[in-house]
Amino acid sequence: MSKGWQEFAPYLKAQARGPSNLGELEPGFSEDAMSLILRGVASSAQIAGFLLVGRARTESFRELAAYARAMRNFSQELEQPPGPSVVTVAGSFDGKVRTFNVGVAASLVAAAAGGRVLMLGGEDVPPKFGRTAFDTLRALGLSIPSTLEETEASLCERGFAVTSPKQYLPELHDLLQLRREMVRRTALNVVEKMISPIPGSPLMVGITHRPFLETVSKALMELGVERALVYQAVEGSDEAVLDGNSSLVLVHDGTRKEFKVDPESLGLSRATRSHVPWNGPEDETSRLLGALDGEEGPVRDLILYNAALRLWMADDEVPLEGHLENVRSAMEFGLGSGLLSEPVPAIR
């Protein structure tokens, strides 16, 4: 048991009040609670109780922002390389179990078109323990940076990298076993998507349930994030859905704007789960490689759309349609698939 459990006791008492008294915790109080959790002061029982009660009553956007603010204070930082802004993309750290993974390919194509993309994720994260960006990268034959220095080198030389809290936020990574034992999702599954190891990086955050469009976007505004895109994604993944019905929320300079994208207006076909069925990892890899090599169809359209969104988040002076033309050209010249054959950048 943690020796400092008594220090955390007031926070658990405030969180675990009777049903008639449950309510939002003050932001500063919430931030202090998360800081104590990450410092290892609270015991496992206290952490589980605090997070599960919060899940049961549903945390407010102010509380989520406070938790994220605490995590920011512990996060190690990556240096922004020269050139275009790095866009940080975060989906479900616990992966996907029944649908296709497209986000990695979209990020590679965005990098090939001149952008810079940092994907955040995890491995063996509960409750789904699904297939993550790391699994897709390995299936495509790419090595994964194992240190922050390698991540920086990959961003600088390739324009693309993937990292996890194991590298930039070990205090959060150390809670994995406890998260497995809690079984259910908690605020940690939301907040881990909301911070980037690159300060000021535009954020793209995929969520599963529509109510989180408002909650997460407001939390990002509360954090002072200047530019972010929160969007509905199948299984909360890192790729936006191309169905014409799913909403996106743009956070920009203290404002929020919800909108939808009509695929036909971009010259793309609608692509839903029925168009991209999950038939196993080998089929997924084959179809991703085919799309990168020029094979037309819903997988290619999803890659184009999500790559264009990544470029647009870094540069809104060019409309989404313009970025789409850039990524289309990159794919036609085989630049996206060309990244698959490049060696892992050497550390400088």
Side-chain angles (χ1 to χ4, degrees):
M1 178 182 292
S2 167
K3 295 181 180 179
W5 68 269
Q6 290 180 319
E7 186 178 351
F8 192 77
Y11 297 89
L12 183 57
K13 285 182 178 179
Q15 177 79 297
R17 292 169 286 182
S20 60
N21 294 308
L22 286 177
E24 179 179 347
L25 299 178
E26 191 270 333
F29 192 85
S30 299
E31 183 176 346
D32 289 344
M34 183 57 65
S35 295
L36 291 174
I37 289 172
L38 295 173
R39 280 173 45 201
V41 170
S43 70
S44 295
Q46 288 177 320
I47 297 171
F50 185 88
L51 293 174
L52 289 173
V53 170
R55 170 193 164 89
R57 67 168 175 79
T58 305
E59 290 93 351
S60 70
F61 73 87
R62 295 180 189 84
E63 289 170 303
L64 294 178
Y67 297 157
R69 197 173 292 112
M71 285 189 186
R72 272 182 175 178
N73 293 333
F74 285 82
S75 177
Q76 299 181 44
E77 295 183 0
L78 287 170
E79 185 175 345
Q80 162 79 40
S85 296
V86 175
V87 174
T88 300
V89 181
S92 54
F93 280 41
D94 58 356
K96 303 176 79 174
V97 296
R98 60 184 183 277
T99 52
F100 215 82
N101 263 318
V102 174
V104 164
S107 295
L108 288 170
V109 171
R116 295 184 188 274
V117 182
L118 174 65
M119 297 188 71
L120 305 183
E123 296 194 88
D124 197 26
V125 176
K128 281 191 296 189
F129 304 100
R131 295 170 299 100
T132 68
F134 297 90
D135 297 308
T136 302
L137 282 168
R138 293 190 185 99
L140 292 174
L142 283 176
S143 298
I144 297 169
S146 58
T147 66
L148 290 179
E149 290 79 10
E150 290 179 0
T151 300
E152 287 181 340
S154 184
L155 277 174
C156 187
E157 299 182 28
R158 181 182 280 160
F160 168 84
V162 60
T163 189
S164 75
K166 186 176 182 180
Q167 275 76 51
Y168 66 87
L169 220 174
E171 293 84 359
L172 176 60
H173 177 75
D174 289 344
L175 296 175
L176 268 186
Q177 180 55 38
L178 177 58
R179 294 173 68 179
R180 296 182 190 113
E181 294 173 12
M182 286 191 290
V183 182
R184 293 291 188 178
R185 280 189 180 82
T186 67
L188 297 181
N189 293 82
V190 179
V191 177
E192 63 191 356
K193 303 181 182 187
M194 292 168 47
I195 61 170
S196 171
I198 299 181
S201 171
L203 288 173
M204 294 181 64
V205 181
I207 54 94
T208 303
H209 304 295
R210 180 174 173 78
F212 278 103
L213 282 173
E214 179 178 355
T215 305
V216 172
S217 60
K218 285 186 174 181
L220 292 173
M221 290 176 64
E222 188 82 2
L223 278 171
V225 173
E226 293 184 6
R227 185 164 174 83
L229 186 69
V230 184
Y231 50 94
Q232 289 180 276
V234 177
E235 296 192 69
S237 62
D238 46 40
E239 70 260 11
V241 182
L242 188 60
D243 61 3
N245 301 313
S246 297
S247 295
L248 306 91
V249 175
L250 177 66
V251 173
H252 183 62
D253 289 339
T255 65
R256 295 170 59 251
K257 178 184 178 182
E258 183 171 341
F259 64 101
K260 296 180 180 180
V261 175
D262 179 16
E264 288 81 6
S265 70
L266 299 175
L268 301 172
S269 300
R270 296 184 181 238
T272 65
R273 288 175 57 183
S274 63
H275 294 106
V276 191
W278 166 245
N279 294 314
E282 292 184 2
D283 176 72
E284 175 182 288
T285 302
S286 175
R287 296 183 71 181
L288 287 176
L289 290 173
L292 289 172
D293 284 336
E295 183 178 311
E296 299 289 342
V299 175
R300 184 178 175 86
D301 283 353
L302 277 167
I303 292 173
L304 286 168
Y305 174 53
N306 280 277
L309 284 174
R310 283 152 170 73
L311 294 182
W312 180 62
M313 285 306 296
D315 177 17
D316 63 344
E317 293 186 2
V318 177
L320 182 59
E321 294 83 356
H323 287 302
L324 181 62
E325 289 308 309
N326 290 336
V327 297
R328 197 188 299 275
S329 296
M331 289 188 75
E332 288 175 353
F333 281 102
L335 299 180
S337 57
L339 283 176
L340 300 179
S341 59
E342 292 186 6
V344 175
I347 300 174
R348 291 181 174 179

